[in-house]
Amino acid sequence: MVVASTSPPDTPSPAGGEPGRERESWRTRLARWDLKGTPYLLILPFFAVFLGFGLFPLLYTGWVSLHDWHVVLGDQGFVGFGNFTRLLADPNFWNALFNTLSIFVISTVPQLLAALGLAALLDRRLRGRTFWRAGVLLPNVVSVVAVALVFAQLFGRDYGVINHVLGWVGIEPINWRSGTWASHLAISVMVMWRWTGYNALIYLAAMQSVPRELYEQAEIDGASRWRTFWAITVPSIRPTIIFTVLVSTIYGLQLFAEPQLFDPKGTAGVGGNSREFQTVTMYLYEEGVRLGDAGYGSTIAWALFLIVLVFAVFNYRLSRRIASKD
């Protein structure tokens, strides 16, 4: 027997009712996720590359520095801080550190001052100023190998142009690749030639953001250009100056290509016959790559990292102190 149901039939949902609300809710969730998650997706590639090629090599190098590790033979045993003890008593390391700091000071200070003056000239109304502004970047575009070859010829002992010009004033030919200070000066000139224009463009961009009303007021008050430059321009671009000092410090302490290519011994990494201009990175290359002592090379790498970190923190605190005076 068939019993007829007395319950009312299910009422169909209005067309476009529930599906429409579900679709709207899905879109809302997607929009909320897009708002919160997209920034993390955009910066994810950088941190992925940093973890793979920055943090991991740093930690792995620290682990290798605690071992007697040869490039070919591999791990020869745990030595603790033995490599660091050896480093502190290594005269070649201290000689390389002295050379690094010497070249850094000789090249960075004049370079930044020259860039500041060059930017002030480019900030004036010049004919063809776009050409001049693009031209100062040309040394930075040229390959460092080509730069090193040209300067090696200029600073040649027997037929170099520099010694020929110095001979006009009675100065005897200088062997630029054998003396400590002579080689430091030659390499510093090379570094300055490459990076002065680059820093000048950074200063120029900052100078163009200085309000022109300040210069007009200074001109009405009768201030000279020299006074205007030091009283208005330099304080206004102070954060940019601190930034270039910080970047130049980091680069200068890791200087490698210029002294390596200036070395008459080629790719030996010793920086002259008596290590006159061997930098810390060159010493790292000599021990870790050419001699195959990966453990000791990693120790030098960590020492260089700590030195750069100390200078970076010092410059950071200095920049904060200067900025707090504004």
Side-chain angles (χ1 to χ4, degrees):
M1 185 177 66
V2 177
V3 179
S5 174
T6 57
S7 61
D10 295 338
T11 305
S13 60
E18 291 296 335
R21 284 198 294 272
E22 291 178 358
R23 188 161 53 248
E24 182 181 358
S25 176
W26 179 81
R27 289 177 177 174
T28 302
R29 290 197 298 270
L30 180 61
R32 189 182 302 112
W33 183 87
D34 178 59
L35 183 64
K36 294 183 178 179
T38 299
Y40 293 101
L41 287 178
L42 293 176
I43 63 175
L44 181 61
F46 166 78
F47 283 100
V49 174
F50 172 73
L51 289 176
F53 298 95
L55 184 60
F56 173 72
L58 179 66
L59 298 178
Y60 187 72
T61 302
W63 185 73
V64 173
S65 68
L66 302 177
H67 294 74
D68 180 11
W69 194 296
H70 192 270
V71 173
V72 178
L73 303 177
D75 188 3
Q76 302 298 303
F78 181 77
V79 296
F81 290 97
N83 284 328
F84 289 90
T85 304
R86 172 188 169 190
L87 183 71
L88 294 177
D90 187 355
N92 290 336
F93 170 74
W94 293 109
N95 174 71
L97 182 59
F98 166 76
N99 293 336
T100 301
L101 296 177
S102 172
I103 296 174
F104 160 69
V105 172
I106 296 175
S107 63
T108 302
V109 176
Q111 172 199 148
L112 295 180
L113 291 176
L116 198 60
L118 186 59
L121 292 175
L122 293 174
D123 194 36
R124 300 176 65 179
R125 295 179 180 177
L126 300 174
R127 289 186 176 180
R129 57 184 177 183
T130 303
F131 170 78
W132 298 114
R133 290 175 181 178
V136 297
L137 192 61
L138 186 61
N140 192 254
V141 177
V142 178
S143 168
V144 64
V145 177
V147 173
L149 290 175
V150 170
F151 275 85
Q153 296 298 320
L154 291 176
F155 285 99
R157 185 189 61 181
D158 298 324
Y159 305 103
V161 175
I162 304 299
N163 278 342
H164 182 72
V165 173
L166 293 178
W168 294 348
V169 293
I171 298 178
E172 296 294 327
I174 301 173
N175 191 348
W176 297 97
R177 297 185 180 184
S178 64
T180 299
W181 293 109
S183 60
H184 291 187
L185 181 60
I187 295 172
S188 299
V189 171
M190 197 185 315
V191 175
M192 285 188 289
W193 192 83
R194 283 199 70 211
W195 293 102
T196 299
Y198 176 82
N199 287 314
L201 287 184
I202 296 178
Y203 290 147
L204 177 61
M207 287 179 183
Q208 291 185 333
S209 65
V210 179
R212 296 297 163 180
E213 293 80 6
L214 297 177
Y215 294 111
E216 295 173 359
Q217 185 64 39
E219 187 176 359
I220 294 174
D221 293 340
S224 63
R225 288 181 176 176
W226 180 259
R227 176 64 177 169
T228 302
F229 178 74
W230 290 107
I232 296 178
T233 304
V234 172
S236 299
I237 64 170
R238 187 177 298 164
T240 305
I241 295 175
I242 298 302
F243 168 76
T244 55
V245 169
L246 180 61
V247 174
S248 300
T249 300
I250 296 174
Y251 172 77
L253 294 176
Q254 301 181 70
L255 191 64
F256 177 78
E258 287 85 353
Q260 173 78 348
L261 295 172
F262 194 70
D263 191 353
K265 290 184 175 295
T267 58
V270 296
N273 296 323
S274 302
R275 303 177 184 270
E276 293 92 344
F277 52 92
Q278 184 185 45
T279 61
V280 175
T281 50
M282 293 177 68
Y283 190 45
L284 164 63
Y285 169 80
E286 179 189 4
E287 291 288 340
V289 178
R290 192 170 69 85
L291 300 180
D293 192 347
Y296 194 56
S298 300
T299 305
I300 299 173
W302 257 89
L304 178 61
F305 168 72
L306 295 176
I307 292 171
V308 173
L309 185 64
V310 168
F311 274 83
V313 171
F314 174 78
N315 281 285
Y316 172 73
R317 295 176 65 87
L318 178 64
S319 62
R320 286 193 60 183
R321 177 174 297 181
I322 294 176
S324 63
K325 296 179 181 178
D326 293 338

